[in-house]
Amino acid sequence: MDIAEIINFSLKNVLHRKLRSFLTILGIVVGIATIVILLSLSLGIEASIVDSVQSLGSNYVMVLPTTSLQSGTFNKVLYTKDADALRRLPGVDAVAGEILVSNAPIQFRRKITAGNVAGSEIDVYVKYTNASGVTFRDGGYFRSGDKSSIVIGSKVADEYFDDKVYVGNSILINNRSFRVSGIFNKSSGAISDLDDTILMEATALRELFPSAVPKDQVFDIFITVSPKADPEAVAKDVTTTLARRRKVDPDKPDFTVMTAASTLEQIRQVTGILSVFLGFVALIALVVGAIGISNAMFTSVMERTKDIGIMKAVGAPNNQILQMFLIESVLVSGIGGLIGIIIGSAISLLVSALVTKTVLNAEVLVGAMSVSLFFGAVSGYFPAKQASKLPAVVALRRD
Amino acid sequence: MDLQEIIGFAWKNISHRKTRSFLTVLGIVIGIASIVILVALAQGLDKDIRASLNKLGSNFVLVLPGQASITSSTSFVPILRGILTDKDVNVVSRVPGVDSVSGSLSYPLAGIRFKKYNATATISGVNADTYDKFITAGYEGGKFFEKGDKSSVVIGYTIANDYFDEKIQVGNQLYINGRPFRVSGIIKQVGQGVGNIDKLIAIDQDAARDLFPGVLAKDRVSAILALTNPDMDSAAIGQEIKEKLANKRKVKLDNLDFTIITAASIQEQVGEITGILTLFLGAVAAISLVVGSIGIANSMFTSVLERTRDIGILKSVGAPNSAVMLLFLAESVMLSVIGGAVGIALGAVVCALISAVGNISTVVSPELIGGSFIVAILVGGASGYFPARQASKLPAVVALRRE
């Protein structure tokens, strides 16, 4: 018996018990489709976050006052001198210490509300936003050193007050009037606070709230990197320089240095855990499906005990019997895997079109197919082994 | 044939084909166990969150400016739009059932210093009388400062133990925006929840206004905390406050520029989130069960096929269709019931293991056990139905003739 004959034989057996094969395959289809759908969902989540991070550009380094971003609190302190120490580092284009006053009273016409007001060195901020593709819906930045103008986000302009704010209008912040020189376009990024921005020169903000921002301190430090320099190398320099200045272990700094790449890395870690978890849960369904294959194969071996006896009597070796049943189970799982991938992909495309972004890539599809073939082989092995070990005389005698 | 006979017959068939029955049951075991485990994990999370919420008690109503929600914060620094004023505090204080009221001021970016360590933290300016009653967790040491004491501070557990490289003790000096405050009390650990009590740094309201002129403007407050009469329903009082404030602020009830938070509304929000999680995990786990039930159907179809002759004999001696149907249904339900019982037991054991080893809360509730068991029975009934019907519909002559 050559391999073509064996496959032919297996196929015949699969087709012979139509209903049983259908149900066995269905189990695999459901398992594989679940894996494909859940993994493509989790990849979709990752992709949409990555997109929003990448829209921020990559030639920047940020220093935040926290030991870990996951903690969600910014409880450490960065100093103006920290920012100054970074200006001379190779690859650094410009450095800005940003300050922030939260919950500041703001007023437009008769409506009084509160907002977070940021202060930055505007020429550095301009470089950053230009590089990251932030665009204005109207107007633009005020000139560097202009202490009576502000730039605002789209939400501030549209939603904060009773009336919409336009370029040229004046907003009162702590009872002092500031002219709106520009309004940003709505941000596409999910993690950016751009839409809630109220931005002025840092020196103006310090004068406005002399007691709210501790002297010599900044909230975060923003660094733009020269086009030719590698942001990762600059980030490393920044870490060692700041650690030395602040007398902390550079491996356990009391600040966080962020680059586009490190942000992406962190996102991938989280979504990676999600993928593994969802994949694992979906795998359980596949395991149950594989048990179904095993079951069908044991039944198949039992029903064909007599056939096995005849084959052995005419000289078929054990490994050929093994092969025959193994191929049958792999065939079942292969068909199930293929249909599962098709159905899973279809559903995932549907979800992508109607509900939320999903991503199908070759790894997921090939991985799902391999997993299904592997499960087919494993679940078919024991029934096949049992069949191949049957002594010919015993098998023939059986009814 | 009575029921006992049918069950006996079904059991015999199951034990006859040991391997097949074992594998079929195994599919259900895995399906039910994964439902139990995943749902128990989600319920455990729910329990943890509720336990920490309960430490806050329930007789309070919190009013925040803007439209806030415990799920809405994705920003570096919390963005709460809108303002509340002392006038709003007055409105709240006149609502029946409100025992005491504190307008609280908060500034999230205050510079604080302990010994030589600098940090940034949220400081709150509060009415000492009201806050003292609000802190139901008790104190690690010391107590709340007296009303009007402008040079003392009360801090939460995290601030005292984790915020600085050295632990803060009652009596220590803490500098806020350069001015020294004496630590009069340290609150016991509360866990996550409203207001983040563990990270509280509370000073007198007027002292806070002195520290941050401009930001914490006169007559402006960042939040209003109302303690309600313990004998009355705080959710109802919250509703009353909502209507009175909306009226005073001239905003529509369906488009408020403030947010009312009560113990009930938080529980509801938490319940919504963990409910979705439970549903999602349960649904994903249920897929395994669907595959398991396909396994039952498959095994039953095979069983019907193998026993076609028996069916013929049964029918020819006068067994009605319904008896044959019942016979096979009993078999499939029996498979799924065994699978369900073992699955629940296995799931409960794994949950206990996860809780013991991984220190993750799991809750295997009676509802979960009962629910999964019912699901198992239903699965057996549904997946056995078509094979059983096929068997019952076989004409006796055809069945007998079959080999």
Side-chain angles (χ1 to χ4, degrees), chain A residues 301 304-318 321 384-398:
Chain A
V301 169
R304 279 181 285 153
T305 305
K306 227 176 159 133
D307 299 359
I308 296 168
I310 294 170
M311 285 178 73
K312 286 206 161 180
V314 299
N318 280 3
I321 308 276
K385 186 97 183 160
Q386 190 190 56
S388 74
K389 285 275 172 67
L390 278 173
V393 271
V394 176
L396 274 172
R397 206 186 305 137
R398 194 89 62 83

Side-chain angles (χ1 to χ4, degrees), chain B residues 140-221:
Chain B
E140 295 261 316
K143 58 184 177 57
F144 219 97
F145 50 83
E146 297 295 321
K147 190 171 184 183
D149 179 348
K150 287 167 90 170
S151 58
S152 291
V153 60
V154 167
I155 57 175
Y157 184 88
T158 307
I159 299 290
N161 292 290
D162 301 330
Y163 226 64
F164 299 96
D165 287 349
E166 283 179 61
K167 289 191 178 185
I168 302 176
Q169 315 284 346
V170 171
N172 284 159
Q173 297 270 23
L174 191 64
Y175 288 83
I176 302 172
N177 214 7
R179 207 154 89 191
F181 287 82
R182 186 186 158 275
V183 176
S184 76
I186 296 170
I187 302 160
K188 279 197 175 137
Q189 191 164 19
V190 174
Q192 73 231 86
V194 199
N196 219 340
I197 303 284
D198 288 344
K199 286 188 185 161
L200 185 71
I201 301 177
I203 58 175
D204 178 79
Q205 216 168 71
D206 293 332
R209 284 201 173 115
D210 292 348
L211 277 180
F212 299 98
V215 190
L216 305 180
K218 229 190 283 171
D219 87 4
R220 224 188 104 198
V221 296

Side-chain angles (χ1 to χ4, degrees), chain A residues 73 75 79 102 113 160 211 295, chain B residues 24 81-82 108 118 120 177 199:
Chain A
T73 53
N75 57 344
Y79 299 91
S102 75
T113 183
Y160 272 39
S211 57
N295 217 352
Chain B
T24 309
R81 296 200 333 248
N118 276 309
T120 302
N177 214 7
K199 286 188 185 161

